[in-house]
Structure formats: structure tokens, C-alpha cells
């Protein structure tokens, strides 16, 4: 590769050798240290490459060998410059473009942040911007050590930070202390639960038959196989405290918790209108190219027409954007793309009977899949599709097993005074008998 580049920079010729003494010609060039390469036989003659400076040494060899030389092609940078030496603006543009690229590589045009889970990207970038670290800044002013130290000091849950410059991209890698964050979140949750002194009951949110119950906290008020109605208490958050005579002397208040499943009836109804709006795309389209440099954008024209008609009031705009990068590392603040505007109008269409059935069936199937994703076990469905001249509908019920129970605050019960007094008398009597 380097040899080819060196030859192209110096410039060389592709010559054709004809005559009876071609082999003597090649030997003579070898004897006088004239470099030849890429020797080929073309139409009974020899073609070979040689440097321009060696071409002037061929006069003596040609006279002695009786051969003729014809220049087939001139290759290399000197011939290219000679061919376009009058196009000064072209070369000036090339030099300006190269200088612009060199200048742009001195700036940071992208901040790559990874490893953050607790803190969002917007939070960290906003903090960096307040500390004068942003896109468009000179790379020489970026202090990676200071950025890493500032992030560790400002964010307590960040335990490790790495900041480096890759091309014109500032790469920041962070590692967060997820264990401490989870522990802190757990403690806050526990504190909130502790603060919730008021009792909460678990009540049924629908009618059904209990199929499974796994209590965690509270007193269950139902059992497996029992029918329950909406609003009925399933698990009570008030746990009674009894003495030896099984008399309630106090209550402990809890937040009722249990896994309860029941067989329930889920009503289903979906109505489909007879007509629907359909987009009819017209032949009117508008396409334009644009170039975006940093915050400036240059385009061929206005995407919206000056006078909107009935055919151009409704439109869809499709944008394709292509950022420019050099060697997949240097991201330039330049991008180009195309904006395409497609105009359409709204037309009212009527569903056929087959389409109504297919749409309603598809909607019902999707509804059942959503229920299954939520952990609902479908046992039976009694949903039917009704079609006619007007609106079509799907109605019926679905028999399924799902989790039931919602929290509801319960009233704090008061202990009767006579219970406390009787308890005190019993205690005094027992103390007296013990002496």
C-alpha cells in the first residue's frame, strides 16, 4: 500500500514497447537501474510502468535495440494537478474542507453516558452543563479527572466513574451502588408501613367463589369454596388480643395481606361502528433535502404549501436523518436528510359482515391474551358476535380465575369498659388469694 502511494505521489507512465528487440530493451533498462513493474503482454506487444524521470533515459536504449515506445497512460498526482491546474477554487475548497475537518476534531460533539440506572441521563447531563461540560466545548478544556471526581462527590450512589475522550466523543462510564439504593428504598418502605397505624382490611372487589387463599398478615374471614360478594371482608387487619378467659382485651392493627384467587364472571362488551374513516393518499407529494449544521438548518424550500387546499390540509411528514461520522469515531455536527410530505383525505367506508366478524374476533383474542399476561386463567367464555345492518357487537361473559381483593381502611374498635374493669377485679382477686 505504501509503495503504491509513493508511486502515485511521484507520478509514472504506462508505456507500450514494440519492435524486435523488446527483450534487449528490458535488459538494457535493468542494466541502467531503470525501474519497471507490472509487465504485461497486450496484442503482441509489451506494456510496463515506469517513472517519469526514467523515461528520459530511454533514448540510447531505443537507438541500440531498434524498438519504439508509446505512452499509453499518465498516472499520478503530478498529472492530476497539471490537468486541473486552472481550477483554483476546487483546490481552495479542498484545502478549506480539510482545515474545517481538522478544526472540528478539536471539539467535543457527543457525550456518551452508560452504566447509570438510579440517575437519569438528563440529570447527569444537566449537572455537567452547569459545570461547563457540554457538547461544542474544546477538547483541551476537558478535565476527565475533575469530571469523575465531581460526579462521585455530587452523587452518593455512584461509586466508580471513568471519563475519557474517544475521537470527538466524551465517554463517561459510571457504576452505581445498587445494593445500598435497594436497602434505602426498602427501609423507606418499611418506615411507611410502620407509620401506617390505621388497620386496613382486604375486601372483595367482585363477586366470586374462592379457589385459593394464602394469608400473610391479618385474620382470614373466608375459606376455600365459599361464595363472596363485592365489598365483603376477606382478611381483617384487626387482630384481637384475648386473655385466659378468651375475652378480647385489645386489638393489634395491621395492614391485611394475602394471595386470594377466586372464580369470577367477567363481563365483556365491544361495539364496532358500521363505518370507519380511511386515509386515501393522493398523488400530491413534496420531497426536499436539507442539511443541518449544529443548530442551523438549510433546506430547499418550505415543507408546507403557501395556500392549503382541501387536498393539502391533511398530511404526513416522513423524515430521514443521516449524521456524518469519520472512521466511526469522529462525530461531526453535520447531518443531512430528506423530508417527504404525503397528502391524504379522509373517506368514510363501511365494514362488510366478514370484516366485522374478523375485527371483533381479533379484538376479543387480544383481550384474552392481555388477561393471561396479567395472570388470569380463563376457564370458559360465553361471548357471541352480533352483526346486523347497524353497529356490530361482541357481548357475553368470561369465566376465569384471578386474584381478588383491595385494601380498605377499617374502623378502630373500642374495648368496652366493663371488660377492663372485670379484668382488673380478676387480677385483684387472684392477688388476694395468693397471699
Amino acid at each position: 500500500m505504501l509503495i503504491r502511494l509513493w508511486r502515485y505521489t511521484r507520478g509514472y507512465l504506462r508505456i507500450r514497447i514494440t519492435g524486435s528487440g523488446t527483450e534487449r530493451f528490458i535488459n538494457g533498462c535493468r542494466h541502467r537501474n531503470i525501474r519497471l513493474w507490472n509487465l504485461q503482454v497486450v496484442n503482441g506487444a509489451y506494456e510496463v510502468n515506469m517513472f517519469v524521470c526514467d523515461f528520459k533515459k530511454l533514448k540510447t536504449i531505443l537507438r541500440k535495440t531498434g524498438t519504439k515506445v508509446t505512452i499509453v497512460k499518465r498516472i499520478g498526482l503530478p498529472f492530476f494537478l497539471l490537468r486541473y491546474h486552472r481550477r483554483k477554487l476546487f483546490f481552495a475548497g479542498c484545502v478549506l474542507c480539510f482545515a474545517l475537518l481538522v478544526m472540528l476534531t478539536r471539539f467535543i460533539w457527543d457525550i456518551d453516558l452508560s452504566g447509570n440506572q438510579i440517575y437519569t441521563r438528563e440529570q447527569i447531563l444537566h449537572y455537567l452543563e452547569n459545570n461547563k461540560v457540554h457538547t461544542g466545548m474544546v477538547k483541551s478544556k476537558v478535565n476527565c479527572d475533575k469530571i469523575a471526581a465531581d460526579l462521585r462527590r455530587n452523587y452518593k450512589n455512584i461509586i466508580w466513574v471513568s471519563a475519557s475522550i474517544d475521537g470527538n466523543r466524551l465517554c463517561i462510564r459510571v457504576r452505581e451502588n445498587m445494593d445500598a439504593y435497594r436497602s434505602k428504598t426498602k427501609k423507606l418502605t418499611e418506615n411507611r408501613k410502620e407509620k401506617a397505624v390505621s388497620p386496613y382490611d382486604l375486601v372483595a372487589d367482585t363477586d366470586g367463589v374462592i379457589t385459593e387463599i394464602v394469608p400473610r398478615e391479618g385474620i382470614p374471614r373466608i375459606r376455600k369454596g365459599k361464595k363472596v360478594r363485592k365489598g365483603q371482608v376477606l382478611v381483617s387487619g384487626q387482630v384481637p388480643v384475648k386473655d385466659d378467659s378468651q375475652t378480647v382485651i385489645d386489638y393489634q392493627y395491621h395492614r391485611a395481606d394475602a394471595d386470594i384467587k377466586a372464580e369470577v364472571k367477567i363481563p365483556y362488551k365491544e361495539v364496532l361502528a358500521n363505518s370507519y374513516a380511511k386515509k386515501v393518499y393522493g398523488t400530491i407529494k413534496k420531497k426536499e433535502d436539507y442539511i443541518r449544521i449544529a443548530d442551523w438548518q438549510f433546506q430547499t424550500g418550505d415543507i408546507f404549501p403557501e395556500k392549503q387546499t382541501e387536498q393539502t390540509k391533511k398530511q404526513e411528514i416522513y423524515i430521514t436523518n443521516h449524521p456524518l461520522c469519520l472512521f466511526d469515531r469522529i462525530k461531526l455536527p453535520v447531518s443531512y436528510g430528506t423530508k417527504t410530505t404525503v397528502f391524504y383525505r379522509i373517506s368514510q367506508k363501511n365494514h362488510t359482515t366478514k370484516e366485522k366478524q374478523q375485527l371483533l374476533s381479533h379484538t376479543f383474542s387480544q383481550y384474552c391474551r392481555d388477561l393471561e399476561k396479567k395472570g388470569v386463567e380463563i376457564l370458559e367464555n360465553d361471548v357471541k358476535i352480533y352483526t346486523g345492518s347497524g353497529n356490530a357487537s361482541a357481548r357475553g361473559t368470561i369465566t376465569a380465575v384471578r386474584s381478588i381483593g383491595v385494601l380498605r381502611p377499617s374502623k378502630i374498635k373500642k374495648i368496652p369498659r366493663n371488660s377492663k374493669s372485670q379484668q382488673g377485679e380478676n387480677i385483684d382477686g387472684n392477688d388476694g388469694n395468693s397471699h
Side-chain angles (χ1 to χ4, degrees):
M1 183 65 186
L2 293 177
I3 295 176
R4 291 182 180 179
L5 183 61
W6 176 62
R7 289 172 178 172
Y8 183 84
T9 305
R10 290 190 58 182
Y12 60 91
L13 303 173
R14 182 73 175 173
I15 63 173
R16 179 178 297 162
I17 309 167
T18 57
S20 57
T22 53
E23 287 140 2
R24 290 181 60 197
F25 174 85
I26 295 173
N27 291 333
C29 293
R30 178 68 177 172
H31 180 70
R32 288 172 172 77
N33 293 326
I34 297 176
R35 297 185 184 91
L36 302 176
W37 68 91
N38 197 11
L39 179 65
Q40 294 179 350
V41 179
V42 180
N43 297 328
Y46 288 103
E47 288 188 2
V48 68
N49 296 337
M50 67 185 312
F51 289 115
V52 178
C53 59
D54 293 334
F55 184 77
K56 300 176 182 178
K57 304 176 184 178
L58 299 179
K59 186 180 293 186
T60 305
I61 301 174
L62 293 174
R63 187 175 63 252
K64 291 183 178 181
T65 58
T67 55
K68 293 183 179 180
V69 172
T70 307
I71 298 176
V72 178
K73 193 174 182 181
R74 296 174 174 85
I75 307 169
L77 183 61
F79 299 109
F80 176 80
L81 296 177
L82 183 64
R83 190 182 309 162
Y84 297 102
H85 69 282
R86 294 183 179 179
R87 301 185 179 181
K88 298 178 181 178
L89 292 178
F90 172 75
F91 292 105
C94 292
V95 173
L96 182 61
C97 180
F98 180 76
L100 183 62
L101 289 177
V102 172
M103 184 187 69
L104 291 177
T105 55
R106 297 178 57 194
F107 296 86
I108 296 293
W109 295 112
D110 185 29
I111 298 179
D112 184 15
L113 179 64
S114 62
N116 56 308
Q117 296 182 14
I118 300 175
Y119 305 105
T120 63
R121 174 182 174 86
E122 289 72 19
Q123 284 179 313
I124 298 179
L125 291 182
H126 181 69
Y127 172 76
L128 292 175
E129 188 173 358
N130 291 337
N131 285 269
K132 299 181 180 180
V133 178
H134 53 83
T135 56
M137 67 180 301
V138 183
K139 288 197 293 186
S140 59
K141 294 184 179 180
V142 178
N143 190 341
C144 296
D145 295 335
K146 185 176 182 301
I147 292 174
D150 290 343
L151 287 175
R152 287 195 303 268
R153 183 174 59 255
N154 186 70
Y155 297 98
K156 302 302 181 183
N157 288 317
I158 294 180
I159 59 176
W160 178 83
V161 181
S162 171
S164 61
I165 297 176
D166 184 11
N168 65 341
R169 181 180 302 169
L170 176 60
C171 300
I172 300 177
R173 306 287 182 264
V174 300
R175 185 175 298 169
E176 299 169 338
N177 189 0
M178 298 300 297
D179 294 335
Y181 178 73
R182 295 191 187 100
S183 177
K184 183 178 179 181
T185 306
K186 186 177 180 180
K187 287 181 180 179
L188 290 174
T189 305
E190 292 176 353
N191 292 336
R192 290 171 184 170
K193 288 183 178 180
E194 291 176 359
K195 291 179 181 178
V197 180
S198 301
Y200 280 85
D201 297 334
L202 200 62
V203 299
D205 56 343
T206 184
D207 300 342
V209 179
I210 302 300
T211 60
E212 181 182 350
I213 175 170
V214 180
R216 290 194 181 88
E217 195 167 356
I219 302 297
R221 298 298 185 189
I222 46 91
R223 63 180 182 274
K224 183 177 179 180
K226 184 178 179 181
K227 293 183 179 180
V228 295
R229 295 187 176 276
K230 184 177 181 180
Q232 182 178 343
V233 176
L234 304 177
V235 180
S236 175
Q238 300 183 6
V239 179
V241 179
K242 300 180 180 180
D243 59 5
D244 295 338
S245 61
Q246 299 301 313
T247 303
V248 178
I249 60 176
D250 199 358
Y251 284 94
Q252 291 181 354
Y253 303 118
H254 299 270
R255 194 183 187 93
D257 186 17
D259 288 338
I260 303 175
K261 290 187 178 181
E263 182 179 325
V264 299
K265 299 287 186 179
I266 303 176
Y268 178 82
K269 183 178 181 181
E270 181 69 24
V271 179
L272 180 65
N274 188 36
S275 61
Y276 65 97
K278 182 180 180 181
K279 293 181 180 180
V280 179
Y281 294 92
T283 57
I284 302 176
K285 292 184 179 181
K286 190 173 182 180
K287 184 177 179 181
E288 61 181 4
D289 300 325
Y290 71 89
I291 297 176
R292 182 176 298 164
I293 303 175
D295 296 332
W296 296 278
Q297 180 171 315
F298 307 93
Q299 57 189 32
T300 56
D302 191 2
I303 191 70
F304 300 103
E306 294 181 358
K307 294 183 179 180
Q308 292 187 346
T309 62
E310 290 296 329
Q311 294 181 336
T312 61
K313 280 184 179 180
K314 295 179 173 55
Q315 52 194 336
E316 293 179 354
I317 300 177
Y318 302 92
I319 300 176
T320 57
N321 187 54
H322 305 281
L324 293 182
C325 295
L326 294 179
F327 313 112
D328 295 332
R329 296 182 59 188
I330 303 176
K331 185 176 180 181
L332 303 177
V334 181
S335 61
Y336 66 94
T338 304
K339 288 183 180 179
T340 304
T341 307
V342 181
F343 302 96
Y344 65 91
R345 59 182 178 87
I346 300 297
S347 177
Q348 295 294 328
K349 300 289 184 179
N350 292 328
H351 290 293
T352 62
T353 303
K354 186 177 180 180
E355 288 177 348
K356 294 177 183 178
Q357 294 176 349
Q358 290 177 349
L359 290 173
L360 290 172
S361 299
H362 177 73
T363 305
F364 177 70
S365 299
Q366 185 63 42
Y367 178 76
C368 292
R369 285 194 292 269
D370 294 339
L371 289 178
E372 291 174 352
K373 288 180 181 179
K374 296 177 181 178
V376 178
E377 181 185 355
I378 299 176
L379 302 179
E380 182 183 357
N381 75 79
D382 186 19
V383 177
K384 297 181 180 179
I385 298 176
Y386 302 91
T387 58
S389 58
N391 297 339
S393 63
R395 301 189 300 271
T397 57
I398 300 173
T399 305
V401 175
R402 71 172 181 87
S403 299
I404 65 171
V406 292
L407 288 174
R408 185 183 68 183
S410 60
K411 295 182 179 179
I412 298 177
K413 295 182 179 180
K414 295 182 179 180
I415 306 299
R417 293 182 179 180
N418 56 358
S419 299
K420 293 184 179 180
S421 61
Q422 290 177 5
Q423 179 188 3
E425 292 174 359
N426 292 335
I427 292 174
D428 295 338
N430 291 335
D431 291 341
N433 295 330
S434 61
H435 290 290

